[in-house]
Amino acid sequence: MATARQLIGEHGNDAVSMREIAAKAELPISTIYQYFPDKSALLQHIMQQYLDLTRDQLRQHFDDVGTIEQFLEQIGTAVDDFFTLFGQEPALSVLWAAMQADPKLCTLDAETSQSNAVYLTDILHKLAPQTDKAATKIALWQLLHNASTSAQLALHMPKDQRRLLAEELKFTLRLRVQALLN
């Protein structure tokens, strides 16, 4: 897994073959194909690990939220952690782009964003029952999906602009949540 993640992250999904991954990992190619019928399946496995990690991070931030103020505060720390993840794993941007280029994996990403949006919508609705659940889910789904695009963009920006982009994302998320509450 680490070898595939490294090679795809460095060279891009299209530039790396299963044969190259096997050679670099010092494994027979048949071993890789035993677990992954094609590169798309391998990329899906790699990305599922990241999607699970981001879901778990989100839950760490929001599971114990008991007030709207805490919810709004956790938006900031969740965005910071998400940007940190991308910053610590520069290959993640290339892997995420490869996922977006594969229709099946693009659907996985959208489903994960939707699942996270439902999770946050349920929390927000418990804290503020007057919120329109359908509108909240759509808004959060779109904003969460945009967060990954922003984190990818940040990797190609100077550090001071990265920070500004993260602050803008936090502002936008908080502003939208506050609008949903009214």
Side-chain angles (χ1 to χ4, degrees):
M1 255 338 105
T3 301
R5 187 171 42 245
Q6 175 198 356
L7 287 173
I8 295 170
E10 286 175 6
H11 305 291
N13 191 48
D14 292 339
V16 177
S17 70
M18 294 288 268
R19 191 172 307 287
E20 289 173 87
I21 294 168
K24 178 85 175 188
E26 299 179 354
L27 292 170
I29 195 161
S30 60
T31 300
I32 293 178
Y33 279 116
Q34 180 179 355
Y35 296 99
F36 306 105
D38 55 30
K39 197 164 43 162
S40 180
L42 177 61
L43 182 60
Q44 179 179 351
H45 183 77
I46 291 168
M47 289 310 301
Q48 187 64 59
Q49 292 173 332
Y50 284 115
L51 294 170
D52 291 347
L53 176 61
T54 59
R55 180 203 60 226
D56 293 347
Q57 281 183 339
L58 193 68
R59 280 161 174 66
Q60 285 176 359
H61 286 287
F62 289 94
D63 273 351
D64 296 326
V65 164
T67 66
I68 294 296
E69 292 76 22
Q70 289 173 336
F71 189 96
L72 294 170
E73 182 181 308
Q74 287 305 313
I75 287 171
T77 55
V79 167
D80 288 340
D81 282 354
F82 192 62
F83 272 59
T84 297
L85 173 64
F86 270 82
Q88 290 172 340
E89 298 267 354
L92 185 52
S93 180
V94 175
L95 291 162
W96 214 288
M99 182 171 71
Q100 295 303 316
D102 183 316
K104 182 174 141 189
L105 298 182
C106 196
T107 299
L108 174 66
D109 185 29
E111 289 170 351
T112 301
S113 295
Q114 182 183 30
S115 173
N116 288 335
V118 168
Y119 164 75
L120 290 175
T121 298
D122 288 346
I123 292 171
L124 197 56
H125 192 68
K126 285 178 190 169
L127 298 173
Q130 78 277 11
T131 57
D132 179 336
K133 278 186 96 168
T136 301
K137 183 185 118 182
I138 289 295
L140 291 175
W141 188 4
Q142 185 260 333
L143 290 167
L144 289 170
H145 206 73
N146 286 350
S148 64
T149 303
S150 296
Q152 290 175 57
L153 174 62
L155 291 174
H156 305 287
M157 301 172 85
K159 205 171 203 169
D160 61 326
Q161 290 181 346
R162 265 185 241 163
R163 185 184 54 75
L164 292 173
L165 182 63
E167 293 304 317
E168 184 62 28
L169 179 61
K170 292 177 207 179
F171 176 78
T172 302
L173 285 164
R174 287 181 181 128
L175 191 64
R176 186 62 181 117
V177 167
Q178 288 169 335
L180 289 164
L181 294 171
N182 297 326

